[in-house]
Amino acid sequence: MTAAPTIQLLPDADGLGRAARYLGQGGLVAFPTETVYGLGADARNDTAVARIYEAKGRPSFNPLIVHLADQPAAEALCHFSPEARRLAAAFWPGALTLVLPLVAQAGISPLVTAGLDTLAVRVPDHEVARALLRSFDGPVAAPSANPSGRISPTTAQHVVDGLDGRIDAVVDGGACPVGVESTIVDCSGAAPVLLRAGGIPVEAIEACLGQTLLLPDEAAPDRPTAPGQLASHYAPMGRVRLNAEVAGPGEIMLGFGNVDCTLNLSPSGDLLEAAAQLFGHLHRLDAMKAKQIAVSPIPDHGLGRAINDRLRRAAAPRD
Ligand code: TXA
Ligand code: MG
């Protein structure tokens, strides 16, 4: 966590250059978009993305939107369907987020997708955001720049009120013109699904596609709306036993702290490191075909709450 007060930067060449350098060093920078201020981090850097959760005090890992300077940058990370291309051509830059299949080896931290194989991407329509993205020249993961459970910020002052001292810098680009979050359309399946209403009207999207958007329960009646709500979502294939001090017979140990184990979330007991490692290690356990997994106790404060939330889902009974 950043101890020093958050630095307020002007959206000029000097301010944007400093903001891009903070991002490059794994720091957190809030920046204006046309919808709301985003809390940005390098989407390829596990530790930087873990810091987003720490700064917001989010009690769970929800997948984050990746912000890009233009559509070619998004095409390097995701597979675009014809519908997705049509929507991007019509509404980017703009307040539309597309959820698309993630390109394998795209280099995006698994903490950004919360372990999913889809990625949410958008090209914001804000001069300052685009200048920052061009200057940084990489994918920027950014949820709204507010503490968890609070109102999304539409001015730099809102950001400072909520997150002062918890993030490195905020670029002050004035008030956000749209003021509500982006519309989210999932184009990763057979038919486009509306995941969140937002800045681009649903009618405009449907007119562009010439078809009605499905609602999540129509697309997958047996699945709850948000991926994080499904208890056993993101679970590894093996059975998970929590709060284990040592591995039992046949178990593979996912450790935390100074314990004997196969994979360790953080040998030094650092929750930021553990959060940064979590999804990568769960994928590694699958790659090892681990059938029974024992997990060390994780302290239930700070980032430990989000880690424990995810581990409880991984350990939930399932078919
Ligand atoms: O306007 C916006 O979208 C703002 C600005 C900063 O761009 N960002 C924003 O991010 O609202 P956030 O984190 O507050 O909301 C992201 C939403 C979450 O509800 C999350 O569940 C959904 O996007 N999301 C992200 N990736 C997803 C994925 N792969 N599949 C389904 N939903 C996803
Ligand atoms: Mg939000």
Side-chain angles (χ1 to χ4, degrees):
M1 197 181 305
T2 323
T6 296
I7 293 167
Q8 301 203 40
L9 298 170
L10 294 174
D12 55 15
D14 175 62
L16 291 168
R18 289 175 67 187
R21 277 196 297 282
Y22 280 124
L23 290 175
Q25 293 159 2
L28 297 184
V29 177
F31 62 96
T33 79
E34 78 279 38
T35 60
V36 300
Y37 273 73
L39 177 54
D42 183 344
R44 301 160 297 195
N45 181 328
D46 294 323
T47 308
V49 179
R51 285 204 177 101
I52 290 180
Y53 288 95
E54 183 179 54
K56 284 181 66 93
R58 259 195 184 175
S60 61
F61 295 115
N62 296 316
L64 305 174
I65 298 171
V66 167
H67 298 67
L68 299 152
D70 50 37
Q71 189 178 337
E75 301 234 9
L77 302 178
C78 304
H79 298 289
F80 276 66
S81 64
E83 289 82 9
R85 284 227 169 77
R86 193 188 290 196
L87 291 177
F91 299 109
W92 280 359
L96 175 68
T97 294
L98 297 173
V99 172
L100 299 169
L102 177 64
V103 167
Q105 316 294 330
I108 296 295
S109 166
L111 208 48
V112 169
T113 59
L116 299 173
D117 53 10
T118 55
L119 181 68
V121 285
R122 95 176 179 95
V123 176
D125 183 17
H126 192 290
E127 223 181 300
V128 175
R130 299 193 79 197
L132 176 60
L133 290 165
R134 278 195 301 270
S135 171
F136 176 60
D137 196 23
V140 173
S144 50
N146 50 282
S148 180
R150 303 262 295 279
I151 302 163
S152 292
T154 54
T155 66
Q157 190 58 48
H158 293 162
V159 176
V160 172
D161 290 346
L163 295 174
D164 190 24
R166 304 178 70 86
I167 65 175
D168 294 289
V170 55
V171 183
D172 189 346
C176 301
V178 175
V180 296
E181 286 93 343
S182 60
T183 305
I184 305 181
V185 177
D186 183 346
C187 288
S188 68
V193 181
L194 177 69
L195 295 184
R196 179 175 77 184
I200 302 282
V202 173
E203 293 81 353
I205 294 168
E206 293 182 334
C208 170
L209 289 175
Q211 72 184 105
T212 337
L213 293 175
L214 296 180
L215 296 174
D217 53 353
E218 294 169 333
D222 51 340
R223 289 223 327 237
T225 308
Q229 287 168 12
L230 190 60
S232 66
H233 211 87
Y234 321 115
M237 287 175 306
R239 280 190 45 201
V240 176
R241 183 168 68 90
L242 301 179
N243 297 315
E245 299 295 346
V246 291
E251 285 184 328
I252 291 181
M253 185 84 190
L254 176 62
F256 176 83
N258 183 19
V259 293
D260 193 10
C261 57
T262 305
L263 293 172
N264 201 321
L265 289 165
S266 170
S268 66
D270 174 15
L271 289 169
L272 183 69
E273 182 184 15
Q277 294 295 327
L278 178 65
F279 289 103
H281 276 357
L282 292 179
H283 280 297
R284 267 168 221 121
L285 288 164
D286 274 355
M288 294 164 63
K289 304 203 185 316
K291 290 212 169 55
Q292 297 182 66
I293 301 157
V295 188
S296 291
I298 312 287
D300 202 39
H301 58 78
L303 275 176
R305 287 170 61 210
I307 296 170
N308 281 323
D309 170 77
R310 188 53 67 221
L311 288 172
R312 273 193 299 274
R313 292 171 200 275
R318 55 195 132 115
D319 317 326

